């Protein structure tokens, strides 16, 4: 008698468990179906790879696409907008160029172990005049000596300071975009590929 009672109880419990499981499964399906109907992207929340694949890439500054193809030469990192110009200069958006892990490797032969620095082709202090972020402005890789501000060094900043007043933010209001570009075009008159890059800021 005890055995039959025990068996009956076991059967009842198993039946109840099956019914509960079926009802929960049906409810889950119903919720999933209704959620997918209202929010079809809901099922992607469990698929991080799909979400990452669909995440839009950070767009490049507009000037990168405006550089003449003949001047741009070859891409070194197209996704980051970095290229080797037709005259051998390595040019790209400042933040990408300054932090790129391969920047030393790109110039290893020419630099022979020298330090590499990214130079804003138009100084960061003028970014606001052009409605830009300083990190997005065109830059070029130079050696420390080429980038020097020291008088008598022959560095690029020595040339620039002879044409446009040096300083952080002082006197910026005195200049408009045309005046700034004219000064830098004069400073870079021996570097036509640099002029093409800064001209691309205003090119449409």
């Amino acid at each position: 008698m005890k055995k039959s009672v025990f068996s009956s109880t076991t059967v009842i419990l198993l039946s109840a468990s099956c019914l509960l499981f079926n009802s929960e499964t049906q409810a889950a399906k119903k919720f999933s179906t209704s959620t997918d109907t209202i929010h079809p992207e809901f099922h992607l929340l469990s698929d991080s790879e799909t979400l990452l694949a669909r995440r839009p890439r950070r767009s490049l500054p507009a000037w990168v696409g405006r550089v003449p193809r003949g001047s741009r030469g070859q891409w070194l990192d197209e996704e980051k907008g970095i290229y080797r110009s037709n005259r051998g200069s390595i040019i790209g958006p400042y933040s990408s160029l300054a932090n790129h892990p391969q920047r030393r490797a790109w110039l290893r032969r020419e630099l022979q172990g020298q330090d590499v620095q990214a130079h804003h082709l138009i100084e960061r202090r003028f970014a606001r005049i052009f409605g830009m972020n300083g990190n997005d402005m065109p830059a070029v890789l130079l050696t420390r000596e080429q980038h020097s501000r020291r008088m008598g060094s022959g560095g690029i900043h020595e040339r620039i300071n002879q044409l446009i007043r040096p300083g952080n933010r002082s006197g910026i209001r005195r200049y408009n975009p045309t005046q700034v570009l004219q000064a830098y075009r004069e400073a870079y008159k021996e570097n036509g590929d640099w002029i093409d890059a800064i001209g691309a800021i205003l090119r449409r």
Side-chain angles (χ1 to χ4, degrees):
M1 182 69 181
K2 287 183 179 180
K3 187 176 181 179
S4 64
V5 171
F6 176 76
S7 298
S8 301
T9 306
T10 304
V11 170
I12 292 169
L13 287 173
L14 285 172
S15 300
S17 297
C18 289
L19 288 171
L20 182 61
F21 176 78
N22 287 335
S23 63
E24 287 179 350
T25 303
Q26 292 299 325
K29 285 183 178 178
K30 185 177 180 181
F31 174 76
S32 176
T33 303
S34 61
T35 305
D36 286 351
T37 303
I38 300 170
H39 302 290
E41 75 281 2
F42 181 80
H43 66 282
L44 294 176
L45 293 175
S46 60
D47 189 349
S48 59
E49 290 184 3
T50 304
L51 287 173
L52 288 173
R54 293 191 176 190
R55 184 176 59 186
R57 292 180 179 176
R58 181 180 179 275
S59 58
L60 290 174
W63 69 266
V64 175
R66 297 172 184 162
V67 176
R69 289 186 180 182
S71 177
R72 190 173 63 214
Q74 70 174 110
W75 289 112
L76 294 177
D77 189 332
E78 187 172 0
E79 186 176 332
K80 295 185 180 297
I82 300 171
Y83 63 94
R84 187 187 294 273
S85 76
N86 59 352
R87 301 186 65 175
S89 299
I90 296 178
I91 299 172
Y94 178 82
S95 60
S96 298
L97 204 58
N99 300 308
H100 202 288
Q102 291 193 52
R103 65 194 193 120
R104 289 180 182 277
W106 287 334
L107 289 179
R108 188 171 292 147
R109 289 182 181 177
E110 296 91 333
L111 297 178
Q112 298 178 348
Q114 295 184 60
D115 188 21
V116 182
Q117 298 180 346
H119 163 66
H120 278 94
L121 285 173
I122 292 180
E123 292 170 277
R124 184 190 292 268
R125 63 184 172 130
F126 295 116
R128 192 175 298 177
I129 290 178
F130 295 94
M132 294 183 67
N133 181 310
N135 286 327
D136 291 338
M137 296 185 77
V140 61
L141 286 185
L142 300 175
T143 66
R144 183 181 291 274
E145 278 299 306
Q146 290 170 334
H147 199 208
S148 178
R149 297 176 181 273
R150 180 170 48 84
M151 294 299 293
S153 67
I156 191 61
H157 279 286
E158 184 179 8
R159 269 193 275 165
I160 292 170
N161 291 345
Q162 292 171 356
L163 295 164
I164 198 163
R165 183 178 176 179
N168 291 328
R169 297 184 179 278
S170 60
I172 292 178
R173 292 179 183 176
R174 298 182 183 183
Y175 301 103
N176 60 46
T178 301
Q179 292 171 322
V180 172
L181 285 175
Q182 284 176 346
Y184 281 94
R185 280 172 178 154
E186 178 63 24
Y188 301 150
K189 60 185 177 183
E190 298 176 4
N191 306 91
D193 49 344
W194 298 9
I195 293 174
D196 287 336
I198 63 174
I201 292 176
L202 296 183
R203 192 174 288 121
R204 293 290 183 268

